[in-house]
Amino acid sequence: MAKKILIIEDEAKIMRTVRLYLEQAGYEVVWASDGTQGLAAFRHEKPALMILDLNLPGDRDGLDVCRAIRRDSNIPIIMLTARTEETDRLIGLELGADDYITKPFSPREVVARVRAVLRRTEQSEITPEVVEAADIQADLQRRSVTVAGVPVELTANEFDLLITMMRHPGRVYTRAQLLEATQGASYEGYERTIDQHVKNLRQKIEPDTRDPRYILTVRSIGYKFTEG
Ligand code: CA
């Protein structure tokens, strides 16, 4: 069955182009032109992934939509942003978006990102495996994580970041390596993106974010998962 992608975008021209390319790539596409409609479509269409424009007309902009959805869903979200909206982009990542694409973009890039994000979120459905380190357990098939036996909800990026480091406790990863592990090599990466994901992840798994127990900062290099 074709995977359903929800596009929330008010610019009909952009939406039509993206829809065309996604449909050609074998996806089913549904569309909403503002945040309120978008949230309604999200609830009843149950899409596999969402492409969300940040700058939407009406009461709810893209950040509001992202925030509302992240309250109870880990659906992969790719944000569309204008080049000038760097702050919004960072806030979006902070709110748990999985990736972003800067306008103007090529529709092919959108298809590639959609594939990459879906692949990351589905990969683990094929290989049942559990990764354990310290008192964190991650079920790669279910993409579920428990910390000291307590389940925590992670976004796709946070999960991938955690798994990458958990597989090799003590090994130091640069931000570039972590970007590659979570986004794929083609990602137009910003190191601050990783810092933001780590910050979000810590808020979910660390008992004290000021004194992290699991994900340790390695000064001027990057991060590592604790050996202890
Ligand atoms: Ca717009």
Side-chain angles (χ1 to χ4, degrees), residues 94-119:
E94 199 172 325
L95 292 174
D98 295 279
D99 201 352
Y100 60 84
I101 299 171
T102 308
K103 290 178 180 178
F105 52 78
S106 86
R108 281 196 185 80
E109 185 189 1
V110 178
V111 174
R113 295 290 184 90
V114 165
R115 281 211 183 99
V117 170
L118 284 175
R119 197 169 46 232

mmCIF file of all heavy atoms in Angstrom, residues 94-119:
data_model
loop_
_atom_site.group_PDB
_atom_site.id
_atom_site.type_symbol
_atom_site.label_atom_id
_atom_site.label_comp_id
_atom_site.label_asym_id
_atom_site.label_seq_id
_atom_site.Cartn_x
_atom_site.Cartn_y
_atom_site.Cartn_z
ATOM 1 N N GLU A 94 13.893 22.038 17.769
ATOM 2 C CA GLU A 94 13.708 21.971 19.206
ATOM 3 C C GLU A 94 12.351 21.330 19.535
ATOM 4 O O GLU A 94 12.209 20.584 20.497
ATOM 5 C CB GLU A 94 13.753 23.395 19.755
ATOM 6 C CG GLU A 94 14.019 23.512 21.218
ATOM 7 C CD GLU A 94 14.229 24.979 21.584
ATOM 8 O OE1 GLU A 94 14.800 25.720 20.770
ATOM 9 O OE2 GLU A 94 13.805 25.359 22.669
ATOM 10 N N LEU A 95 11.362 21.626 18.703
ATOM 11 C CA LEU A 95 10.035 21.059 18.916
ATOM 12 C C LEU A 95 9.944 19.617 18.430
ATOM 13 O O LEU A 95 8.910 18.983 18.565
ATOM 14 C CB LEU A 95 8.982 21.895 18.185
ATOM 15 C CG LEU A 95 8.751 23.304 18.720
ATOM 16 C CD1 LEU A 95 7.796 24.053 17.824
ATOM 17 C CD2 LEU A 95 8.212 23.252 20.136
ATOM 18 N N GLY A 96 11.006 19.136 17.814
ATOM 19 C CA GLY A 96 11.024 17.722 17.457
ATOM 20 C C GLY A 96 10.795 17.405 15.991
ATOM 21 O O GLY A 96 10.522 16.264 15.645
ATOM 22 N N ALA A 97 10.955 18.397 15.101
ATOM 23 C CA ALA A 97 10.909 18.081 13.672
ATOM 24 C C ALA A 97 12.127 17.224 13.327
ATOM 25 O O ALA A 97 13.161 17.308 13.989
ATOM 26 C CB ALA A 97 10.907 19.354 12.839
ATOM 27 N N ASP A 98 11.997 16.363 12.326
ATOM 28 C CA ASP A 98 13.068 15.428 11.999
ATOM 29 C C ASP A 98 14.078 15.981 11.007
ATOM 30 O O ASP A 98 15.225 15.569 10.991
ATOM 31 C CB ASP A 98 12.475 14.141 11.434
ATOM 32 C CG ASP A 98 11.653 13.430 12.485
ATOM 33 O OD1 ASP A 98 12.239 12.738 13.324
ATOM 34 O OD2 ASP A 98 10.429 13.628 12.493
ATOM 35 N N ASP A 99 13.614 16.870 10.161
ATOM 36 C CA ASP A 99 14.498 17.391 9.128
ATOM 37 C C ASP A 99 13.878 18.676 8.614
ATOM 38 O O ASP A 99 12.737 18.979 8.929
ATOM 39 C CB ASP A 99 14.604 16.365 7.987
ATOM 40 C CG ASP A 99 15.855 16.560 7.148
ATOM 41 O OD1 ASP A 99 16.564 17.567 7.347
ATOM 42 O OD2 ASP A 99 16.120 15.714 6.284
ATOM 43 N N TYR A 100 14.666 19.455 7.872
ATOM 44 C CA TYR A 100 14.068 20.635 7.252
ATOM 45 C C TYR A 100 14.652 20.819 5.873
ATOM 46 O O TYR A 100 15.745 20.353 5.569
ATOM 47 C CB TYR A 100 14.290 21.882 8.099
ATOM 48 C CG TYR A 100 15.738 22.208 8.322
ATOM 49 C CD1 TYR A 100 16.457 22.925 7.381
ATOM 50 C CD2 TYR A 100 16.391 21.775 9.474
ATOM 51 C CE1 TYR A 100 17.803 23.197 7.573
ATOM 52 C CE2 TYR A 100 17.725 22.037 9.679
ATOM 53 C CZ TYR A 100 18.424 22.751 8.731
ATOM 54 O OH TYR A 100 19.738 23.008 8.920
ATOM 55 N N ILE A 101 13.884 21.496 5.045
ATOM 56 C CA ILE A 101 14.319 21.798 3.688
ATOM 57 C C ILE A 101 14.143 23.296 3.511
ATOM 58 O O ILE A 101 13.116 23.863 3.864
ATOM 59 C CB ILE A 101 13.481 21.029 2.659
ATOM 60 C CG1 ILE A 101 13.647 19.523 2.869
ATOM 61 C CG2 ILE A 101 13.875 21.424 1.244
ATOM 62 C CD1 ILE A 101 12.696 18.684 2.054
ATOM 63 N N THR A 102 15.201 23.926 2.978
ATOM 64 C CA THR A 102 15.172 25.370 2.815
ATOM 65 C C THR A 102 14.651 25.745 1.433
ATOM 66 O O THR A 102 15.079 25.180 0.439
ATOM 67 C CB THR A 102 16.601 25.927 3.006
ATOM 68 O OG1 THR A 102 17.118 25.428 4.234
ATOM 69 C CG2 THR A 102 16.589 27.432 3.072
ATOM 70 N N LYS A 103 13.705 26.678 1.415
ATOM 71 C CA LYS A 103 13.184 27.192 0.137
ATOM 72 C C LYS A 103 14.164 28.196 -0.443
ATOM 73 O O LYS A 103 14.746 28.951 0.321
ATOM 74 C CB LYS A 103 11.840 27.887 0.354
ATOM 75 C CG LYS A 103 10.704 26.963 0.698
ATOM 76 C CD LYS A 103 9.460 27.802 0.929
ATOM 77 C CE LYS A 103 8.275 26.921 1.271
ATOM 78 N NZ LYS A 103 7.060 27.709 1.545
ATOM 79 N N PRO A 104 14.364 28.286 -1.739
ATOM 80 C CA PRO A 104 13.764 27.405 -2.757
ATOM 81 C C PRO A 104 14.464 26.048 -2.795
ATOM 82 O O PRO A 104 15.667 25.967 -2.533
ATOM 83 C CB PRO A 104 14.018 28.175 -4.049
ATOM 84 C CG PRO A 104 15.250 28.981 -3.782
ATOM 85 C CD PRO A 104 15.247 29.291 -2.314
ATOM 86 N N PHE A 105 13.732 25.012 -3.111
ATOM 87 C CA PHE A 105 14.327 23.669 -3.147
ATOM 88 C C PHE A 105 13.905 22.993 -4.433
ATOM 89 O O PHE A 105 12.969 23.424 -5.102
ATOM 90 C CB PHE A 105 13.854 22.847 -1.955
ATOM 91 C CG PHE A 105 12.357 22.827 -1.816
ATOM 92 C CD1 PHE A 105 11.568 22.020 -2.615
ATOM 93 C CD2 PHE A 105 11.727 23.633 -0.870
ATOM 94 C CE1 PHE A 105 10.195 22.018 -2.488
ATOM 95 C CE2 PHE A 105 10.342 23.632 -0.739
ATOM 96 C CZ PHE A 105 9.576 22.819 -1.555
ATOM 97 N N SER A 106 14.590 21.921 -4.763
ATOM 98 C CA SER A 106 14.160 21.145 -5.919
ATOM 99 C C SER A 106 13.228 20.059 -5.402
ATOM 100 O O SER A 106 13.455 19.487 -4.334
ATOM 101 C CB SER A 106 15.369 20.540 -6.624
ATOM 102 O OG SER A 106 15.709 19.315 -6.025
ATOM 103 N N PRO A 107 12.161 19.764 -6.146
ATOM 104 C CA PRO A 107 11.229 18.726 -5.712
ATOM 105 C C PRO A 107 11.917 17.371 -5.539
ATOM 106 O O PRO A 107 11.516 16.573 -4.692
ATOM 107 C CB PRO A 107 10.178 18.677 -6.816
ATOM 108 C CG PRO A 107 10.614 19.605 -7.876
ATOM 109 C CD PRO A 107 11.719 20.441 -7.374
ATOM 110 N N ARG A 108 12.963 17.151 -6.321
ATOM 111 C CA ARG A 108 13.703 15.886 -6.177
ATOM 112 C C ARG A 108 14.319 15.768 -4.795
ATOM 113 O O ARG A 108 14.393 14.693 -4.215
ATOM 114 C CB ARG A 108 14.827 15.794 -7.218
ATOM 115 C CG ARG A 108 14.323 15.402 -8.565
ATOM 116 C CD ARG A 108 15.445 14.935 -9.477
ATOM 117 N NE ARG A 108 14.903 14.697 -10.789
ATOM 118 C CZ ARG A 108 14.662 15.654 -11.678
ATOM 119 N NH1 ARG A 108 14.967 16.912 -11.408
ATOM 120 N NH2 ARG A 108 14.129 15.372 -12.839
ATOM 121 N N GLU A 109 14.786 16.916 -4.303
ATOM 122 C CA GLU A 109 15.381 16.918 -2.970
ATOM 123 C C GLU A 109 14.324 16.512 -1.935
ATOM 124 O O GLU A 109 14.608 15.771 -1.000
ATOM 125 C CB GLU A 109 15.936 18.308 -2.659
ATOM 126 C CG GLU A 109 16.686 18.360 -1.335
ATOM 127 C CD GLU A 109 17.056 19.781 -0.919
ATOM 128 O OE1 GLU A 109 16.719 20.735 -1.646
ATOM 129 O OE2 GLU A 109 17.673 19.919 0.156
ATOM 130 N N VAL A 110 13.123 16.997 -2.126
ATOM 131 C CA VAL A 110 12.051 16.654 -1.192
ATOM 132 C C VAL A 110 11.806 15.146 -1.190
ATOM 133 O O VAL A 110 11.723 14.515 -0.139
ATOM 134 C CB VAL A 110 10.743 17.400 -1.545
ATOM 135 C CG1 VAL A 110 9.630 16.996 -0.596
ATOM 136 C CG2 VAL A 110 10.967 18.899 -1.502
ATOM 137 N N VAL A 111 11.735 14.572 -2.389
ATOM 138 C CA VAL A 111 11.509 13.123 -2.486
ATOM 139 C C VAL A 111 12.644 12.371 -1.792
ATOM 140 O O VAL A 111 12.411 11.430 -1.033
ATOM 141 C CB VAL A 111 11.376 12.687 -3.965
ATOM 142 C CG1 VAL A 111 11.284 11.168 -4.075
ATOM 143 C CG2 VAL A 111 10.156 13.335 -4.598
ATOM 144 N N ALA A 112 13.882 12.839 -2.034
ATOM 145 C CA ALA A 112 15.039 12.171 -1.414
ATOM 146 C C ALA A 112 14.966 12.241 0.110
ATOM 147 O O ALA A 112 15.228 11.264 0.818
ATOM 148 C CB ALA A 112 16.336 12.798 -1.917
ATOM 149 N N ARG A 113 14.585 13.410 0.629
ATOM 150 C CA ARG A 113 14.488 13.568 2.089
ATOM 151 C C ARG A 113 13.373 12.700 2.663
ATOM 152 O O ARG A 113 13.509 12.108 3.725
ATOM 153 C CB ARG A 113 14.225 15.012 2.465
ATOM 154 C CG ARG A 113 15.327 15.956 2.115
ATOM 155 C CD ARG A 113 16.550 15.722 2.989
ATOM 156 N NE ARG A 113 17.532 16.735 2.654
ATOM 157 C CZ ARG A 113 17.609 17.914 3.249
ATOM 158 N NH1 ARG A 113 16.812 18.206 4.231
ATOM 159 N NH2 ARG A 113 18.515 18.778 2.883
ATOM 160 N N VAL A 114 12.252 12.666 1.955
ATOM 161 C CA VAL A 114 11.125 11.854 2.421
ATOM 162 C C VAL A 114 11.559 10.393 2.508
ATOM 163 O O VAL A 114 11.346 9.721 3.512
ATOM 164 C CB VAL A 114 9.900 12.012 1.481
ATOM 165 C CG1 VAL A 114 8.870 10.925 1.720
ATOM 166 C CG2 VAL A 114 9.280 13.388 1.664
ATOM 167 N N ARG A 115 12.209 9.924 1.437
ATOM 168 C CA ARG A 115 12.696 8.542 1.434
ATOM 169 C C ARG A 115 13.642 8.289 2.591
ATOM 170 O O ARG A 115 13.540 7.286 3.290
ATOM 171 C CB ARG A 115 13.449 8.246 0.125
ATOM 172 C CG ARG A 115 12.538 7.961 -1.031
ATOM 173 C CD ARG A 115 13.224 6.981 -1.995
ATOM 174 N NE ARG A 115 12.379 6.753 -3.148
ATOM 175 C CZ ARG A 115 12.545 7.369 -4.320
ATOM 176 N NH1 ARG A 115 13.555 8.206 -4.502
ATOM 177 N NH2 ARG A 115 11.715 7.133 -5.302
ATOM 178 N N ALA A 116 14.595 9.226 2.773
ATOM 179 C CA ALA A 116 15.614 9.036 3.812
ATOM 180 C C ALA A 116 14.972 8.992 5.199
ATOM 181 O O ALA A 116 15.294 8.126 6.011
ATOM 182 C CB ALA A 116 16.657 10.144 3.735
ATOM 183 N N VAL A 117 14.063 9.903 5.447
ATOM 184 C CA VAL A 117 13.442 9.948 6.775
ATOM 185 C C VAL A 117 12.584 8.700 6.999
ATOM 186 O O VAL A 117 12.642 8.080 8.061
ATOM 187 C CB VAL A 117 12.616 11.244 6.969
ATOM 188 C CG1 VAL A 117 11.781 11.163 8.227
ATOM 189 C CG2 VAL A 117 13.542 12.450 7.029
ATOM 190 N N LEU A 118 11.845 8.289 5.976
ATOM 191 C CA LEU A 118 11.023 7.083 6.135
ATOM 192 C C LEU A 118 11.897 5.843 6.312
ATOM 193 O O LEU A 118 11.576 4.961 7.097
ATOM 194 C CB LEU A 118 10.089 6.904 4.938
ATOM 195 C CG LEU A 118 8.863 7.826 4.913
ATOM 196 C CD1 LEU A 118 8.089 7.629 3.625
ATOM 197 C CD2 LEU A 118 7.962 7.581 6.115
ATOM 198 N N ARG A 119 13.012 5.812 5.580
ATOM 199 C CA ARG A 119 13.909 4.671 5.693
ATOM 200 C C ARG A 119 14.452 4.562 7.119
ATOM 201 O O ARG A 119 14.508 3.500 7.706
ATOM 202 C CB ARG A 119 15.052 4.795 4.688
ATOM 203 C CG ARG A 119 15.793 3.485 4.461
ATOM 204 C CD ARG A 119 16.736 3.599 3.272
ATOM 205 N NE ARG A 119 17.523 4.811 3.283
ATOM 206 C CZ ARG A 119 17.607 5.667 2.267
ATOM 207 N NH1 ARG A 119 16.955 5.443 1.160
ATOM 208 N NH2 ARG A 119 18.358 6.743 2.367
#
